[in-house]
Amino acid sequence: TFAGRLVEQTGIGDGKMIIRGAVLDADGKGMAGVRVRIAAFDWSSVAITDGNGTFAFDGLSNEVVYTLTLPDQAAQSLDVPGEFGKMTWVEFRRVGS
């Protein structure tokens, strides 16, 4: 099972809104090739983690709460506020064995 959490928000300029993050194993190492789904209302998109376990949803255009999930894993969903001028960093970490 994976648990998600919001790690930090940083300023990036007024016209941008970004949600990025990582999928980590129980030891904190990045997991490659994991599908991460972002959704809001009737829209969704999927990113696949890179070799470091990181993913990015850049260029978001609506200040709403986005729900992130790992559709192929047992994972809690994570609600993330989308805010212009902010980059939000989240992580999903495997808990247990």
Side-chain angles (χ1 to χ4, degrees), residues 18-32:
I18 297 171
I19 297 175
R20 294 185 179 171
V23 178
L24 309 171
D25 67 14
D27 296 324
K29 296 179 184 175
M31 297 177 63

Side-chain angles (χ1 to χ4, degrees), residues 72-90:
D72 302 325
Q73 307 291 329
Q76 301 169 348
S77 63
L78 178 64
D79 289 337
V80 179
E83 297 180 47
F84 281 112
K86 300 274 176 97
M87 182 196 68
T88 304
W89 184 268
V90 301

